[in-house]
Coordinates of all heavy atoms in Angstrom, one line a residue:
K534 N -19.4 3.1 -0.4 CA -20.1 2.4 0.7 C -19.3 1.1 1.1 O -19.6 0.6 2.2 CB -21.5 2.0 0.3 CG -22.4 3.2 0.0 CD -23.8 2.7 -0.5 CE -24.7 3.9 -0.7 NZ -26.0 3.5 -1.2
R535 N -18.4 0.7 0.3 CA -17.6 -0.5 0.7 C -16.7 -0.2 1.9 O -16.2 -1.1 2.6 CB -16.7 -0.9 -0.5 CG -17.5 -1.4 -1.7 CD -16.6 -1.6 -2.9 NE -15.9 -0.4 -3.2 CZ -15.0 -0.3 -4.2 NH1 -14.7 -1.4 -4.9 NH2 -14.4 0.8 -4.5
L536 N -16.4 1.1 2.2 CA -15.6 1.5 3.3 C -16.3 1.4 4.6 O -15.7 1.7 5.7 CB -14.9 2.8 3.0 CG -14.0 2.9 1.8 CD1 -13.6 4.4 1.6 CD2 -12.8 2.0 2.0
G537 N -17.6 1.2 4.5 CA -18.4 1.2 5.8 C -18.6 2.5 6.4 O -18.9 3.5 5.8
K538 N -18.5 2.5 7.8 CA -18.7 3.7 8.6 C -17.6 4.8 8.1 O -16.6 4.5 7.6 CB -18.6 3.4 10.0 CG -19.7 2.5 10.5 CD -19.6 2.2 12.0 CE -20.7 1.3 12.5 NZ -20.6 1.0 13.9
P539 N -17.9 6.0 8.5 CA -17.0 7.2 8.0 C -15.6 7.1 8.5 O -14.7 7.8 8.0 CB -17.7 8.4 8.6 CG -19.1 8.0 8.9 CD -19.1 6.6 9.2
N540 N -15.3 6.2 9.6 CA -14.0 6.2 10.2 C -12.8 6.1 9.2 O -11.8 6.8 9.2 CB -13.9 5.1 11.2 CG -15.0 5.2 12.3 OD1 -16.0 5.8 12.0 ND2 -14.7 4.7 13.5
A541 N -12.9 5.1 8.3 CA -11.9 4.9 7.3 C -11.7 6.1 6.4 O -10.6 6.4 6.0 CB -12.2 3.6 6.5
K542 N -12.8 6.7 6.1 CA -12.8 7.9 5.2 C -12.1 9.1 5.9 O -11.3 9.8 5.2 CB -14.2 8.2 4.8 CG -14.9 7.1 4.0 CD -16.4 7.4 3.8 CE -17.1 6.1 3.2 NZ -18.5 6.4 3.0
I543 N -12.4 9.2 7.2 CA -11.8 10.3 7.9 C -10.3 10.0 8.0 O -9.5 10.9 7.9 CB -12.4 10.4 9.3 CG1 -13.9 10.9 9.2 CG2 -11.6 11.4 10.2 CD1 -14.7 10.8 10.5
L544 N -9.9 8.8 8.2 CA -8.6 8.4 8.3 C -7.8 8.7 7.0 O -6.7 9.2 7.0 CB -8.4 6.9 8.6 CG -7.0 6.4 8.7 CD1 -6.1 7.1 9.8 CD2 -7.0 4.8 8.9
Y545 N -8.5 8.4 5.9 CA -7.9 8.8 4.6 C -7.6 10.2 4.5 O -6.5 10.6 4.0 CB -8.9 8.4 3.4 CG -8.3 8.8 2.0 CD1 -7.5 8.0 1.3 CD2 -8.7 10.1 1.5 CE1 -7.1 8.4 0.1 CE2 -8.2 10.5 0.3 CZ -7.4 9.6 -0.4 OH -6.9 10.0 -1.7
S546 N -8.5 11.1 4.9 CA -8.3 12.5 4.9 C -7.1 12.9 5.8 O -6.3 13.8 5.4 CB -9.6 13.2 5.4 OG -9.4 14.6 5.4
E547 N -7.0 12.3 6.9 CA -5.9 12.6 7.8 C -4.5 12.2 7.2 O -3.5 12.9 7.3 CB -6.0 11.8 9.1 CG -5.0 12.0 10.2 CD -5.1 13.4 10.8 OE1 -6.2 14.0 10.8 OE2 -4.0 13.9 11.3
I548 N -4.5 11.1 6.5 CA -3.3 10.6 5.8 C -2.9 11.6 4.7 O -1.7 11.8 4.5 CB -3.5 9.2 5.3 CG1 -3.6 8.2 6.4 CG2 -2.4 8.8 4.3 CD1 -4.0 6.8 6.0
T549 N -3.9 12.2 4.0 CA -3.5 13.2 3.0 C -2.8 14.4 3.6 O -1.9 15.0 3.1 CB -4.7 13.7 2.2 OG1 -5.6 14.4 3.0 CG2 -5.4 12.5 1.5
A550 N -3.3 14.8 4.8 CA -2.7 15.9 5.5 C -1.3 15.6 6.0 O -0.4 16.4 5.9 CB -3.6 16.2 6.8
L551 N -1.1 14.4 6.5 CA 0.2 14.0 7.0 C 1.2 13.7 5.8 O 2.4 13.5 6.0 CB 0.1 12.7 7.8 CG -0.6 12.9 9.2 CD1 -0.9 11.5 9.8 CD2 0.2 13.7 10.1
S552 N 0.7 13.6 4.6 CA 1.5 13.4 3.4 C 2.0 14.7 2.8 O 2.8 14.7 1.8 CB 0.7 12.7 2.3 OG 0.3 11.4 2.8
N553 N 1.6 15.8 3.4 CA 2.0 17.1 2.8 C 3.5 17.3 2.8 O 4.1 17.9 1.9 CB 1.4 18.3 3.6 CG 0.1 18.7 3.1 OD1 0.0 19.6 2.2 ND2 -1.0 18.1 3.5
K554 N 4.2 16.9 3.8 CA 5.7 17.2 3.9 C 6.5 16.4 2.9 O 7.3 16.9 2.2 CB 6.1 16.9 5.3 CG 7.6 17.2 5.6 CD 8.0 16.9 7.0 CE 9.6 17.2 7.2 NZ 10.0 16.9 8.6
D555 N 6.3 15.1 2.9 CA 7.1 14.1 2.1 C 6.4 13.5 0.9 O 7.0 12.8 0.1 CB 7.7 13.1 3.0 CG 8.5 13.6 4.1 OD1 9.4 14.4 3.8 OD2 8.4 13.1 5.3
G556 N 5.1 13.7 0.8 CA 4.3 13.1 -0.3 C 3.8 11.7 0.1 O 3.1 11.1 -0.7
Y557 N 4.1 11.3 1.3 CA 3.6 10.1 1.9 C 3.5 10.2 3.4 O 4.0 11.1 4.0 CB 4.5 8.9 1.5 CG 5.9 9.0 2.0 CD1 6.2 8.6 3.3 CD2 6.9 9.5 1.2 CE1 7.5 8.7 3.8 CE2 8.2 9.6 1.6 CZ 8.5 9.2 2.9 OH 9.8 9.3 3.4
C558 N 2.7 9.3 4.0 CA 2.5 9.3 5.5 C 3.2 8.2 6.1 O 3.1 7.0 5.6 CB 1.0 9.2 5.7 SG 0.6 8.9 7.5
H559 N 4.0 8.4 7.1 CA 4.7 7.3 7.8 C 4.2 7.1 9.2 O 4.9 6.5 10.0 CB 6.2 7.6 7.8 CG 6.7 8.9 8.3 ND1 6.6 9.2 9.7 CD2 7.1 10.0 7.7 CE1 7.0 10.5 9.8 NE2 7.3 11.0 8.6
A560 N 3.1 7.7 9.6 CA 2.5 7.5 10.9 C 2.2 6.1 11.1 O 1.7 5.3 10.3 CB 1.3 8.4 11.1
S561 N 2.3 5.6 12.4 CA 2.1 4.2 12.7 C 0.6 4.0 13.1 O -0.2 4.9 13.3 CB 2.9 3.8 13.9 OG 2.5 4.5 15.1
N562 N 0.2 2.7 13.2 CA -1.2 2.4 13.6 C -1.4 2.9 15.1 O -2.5 3.3 15.4 CB -1.4 0.9 13.6 CG -1.4 0.3 12.2 OD1 -1.6 1.1 11.2 ND2 -1.3 -0.9 12.1
G563 N -0.3 2.9 15.9 CA -0.4 3.4 17.2 C -0.7 4.9 17.3 O -1.5 5.4 18.1
Y564 N -0.1 5.6 16.4 CA -0.3 7.0 16.3 C -1.8 7.3 16.0 O -2.5 8.1 16.6 CB 0.5 7.7 15.2 CG 0.2 9.1 14.9 CD1 0.8 10.2 15.6 CD2 -0.7 9.4 13.9 CE1 0.4 11.5 15.4 CE2 -1.1 10.8 13.6 CZ -0.5 11.8 14.4 OH -0.8 13.1 14.1
F565 N -2.4 6.6 15.0 CA -3.8 6.8 14.6 C -4.7 6.3 15.8 O -5.8 6.9 16.0 CB -4.1 6.1 13.3 CG -3.4 6.7 12.1 CD1 -2.6 5.9 11.3 CD2 -3.6 8.0 11.8 CE1 -2.0 6.4 10.2 CE2 -3.0 8.6 10.7 CZ -2.2 7.7 9.9
A566 N -4.3 5.3 16.5 CA -5.1 4.7 17.5 C -5.3 5.8 18.6 O -6.4 6.0 19.2 CB -4.5 3.5 18.1
K567 N -4.2 6.5 19.0 CA -4.2 7.5 20.0 C -5.0 8.7 19.5 O -5.8 9.3 20.3 CB -2.8 8.0 20.4 CG -2.0 6.9 21.2 CD -0.6 7.4 21.5 CE 0.2 6.4 22.3 NZ 1.6 6.8 22.5
L568 N -4.8 9.0 18.2 CA -5.5 10.2 17.7 C -7.0 10.0 17.7 O -7.8 11.0 18.0 CB -5.1 10.4 16.2 CG -5.6 11.6 15.4 CD1 -5.1 12.9 16.1 CD2 -5.1 11.6 14.0
Y569 N -7.5 8.8 17.4 CA -9.0 8.6 17.4 C -9.5 7.8 18.6 O -10.7 7.4 18.5 CB -9.3 7.8 16.0 CG -9.0 8.7 14.8 CD1 -8.0 8.3 13.9 CD2 -9.7 9.8 14.6 CE1 -7.7 9.1 12.8 CE2 -9.4 10.6 13.5 CZ -8.5 10.3 12.6 OH -8.2 11.0 11.5
D570 N -8.7 7.6 19.5 CA -9.1 6.9 20.8 C -9.7 5.5 20.5 O -10.8 5.2 21.0 CB -10.1 7.8 21.5 CG -10.3 7.3 23.0 OD1 -9.3 6.7 23.5 OD2 -11.3 7.6 23.6
V571 N -9.0 4.7 19.7 CA -9.3 3.4 19.4 C -8.1 2.5 19.5 O -7.0 3.0 19.8 CB -9.9 3.2 18.0 CG1 -11.2 4.0 17.9 CG2 -8.9 3.7 16.9
D572 N -8.2 1.2 19.4 CA -7.0 0.3 19.5 C -6.3 0.2 18.1 O -6.9 0.5 17.1 CB -7.3 -1.1 20.0 CG -8.4 -1.8 19.2 OD1 -8.2 -2.0 18.0 OD2 -9.4 -2.2 19.8
S573 N -5.1 -0.2 18.1 CA -4.3 -0.4 16.9 C -4.9 -1.3 15.9 O -4.8 -1.1 14.7 CB -2.9 -0.7 17.2 OG -2.2 0.2 18.0
T574 N -5.6 -2.4 16.4 CA -6.2 -3.3 15.5 C -7.3 -2.7 14.7 O -7.4 -3.0 13.5 CB -6.8 -4.5 16.3 OG1 -5.8 -5.1 17.1 CG2 -7.4 -5.5 15.4
T575 N -8.0 -1.8 15.2 CA -9.1 -1.1 14.5 C -8.5 -0.2 13.4 O -9.0 -0.2 12.3 CB -9.9 -0.2 15.5 OG1 -10.5 -1.1 16.5 CG2 -11.0 0.5 14.8
T576 N -7.5 0.6 13.7 CA -6.9 1.5 12.7 C -6.2 0.6 11.6 O -6.3 1.0 10.5 CB -5.9 2.4 13.3 OG1 -4.8 1.7 14.0 CG2 -6.5 3.4 14.3
S577 N -5.7 -0.5 12.0 CA -5.1 -1.5 11.0 C -6.2 -1.9 10.0 O -5.9 -2.0 8.8 CB -4.5 -2.6 11.7 OG -4.0 -3.5 10.7
K578 N -7.4 -2.2 10.5 CA -8.5 -2.6 9.6 C -8.9 -1.5 8.7 O -9.2 -1.7 7.5 CB -9.7 -3.1 10.5 CG -9.5 -4.4 11.2 CD -10.7 -4.7 12.1 CE -10.5 -6.1 12.8 NZ -11.6 -6.4 13.7
W579 N -8.9 -0.2 9.2 CA -9.3 0.9 8.3 C -8.3 1.0 7.2 O -8.7 1.2 6.1 CB -9.4 2.2 9.2 CG -10.4 2.2 10.2 CD1 -11.5 1.4 10.4 CD2 -10.5 3.1 11.3 NE1 -12.2 1.7 11.5 CE2 -11.6 2.8 12.1 CE3 -9.7 4.2 11.8 CZ2 -12.0 3.4 13.2 CZ3 -10.0 4.9 12.9 CH2 -11.2 4.5 13.6
I580 N -7.0 1.0 7.6 CA -6.0 1.1 6.6 C -6.1 0.0 5.5 O -5.9 0.2 4.3 CB -4.6 1.1 7.2 CG1 -4.4 2.4 8.0 CG2 -3.5 1.0 6.2 CD1 -3.2 2.5 8.8

């Protein structure tokens, strides 16, 4: 519940998917912002 709304949790799941190739995710805040139609500041807070 400390993560608040589901957004950060969904982002975590996305990061695991993007980690399949190299074992880590190197996508930027801008990438996630476009993916979820929010601004980069918001995705930065989730991370």
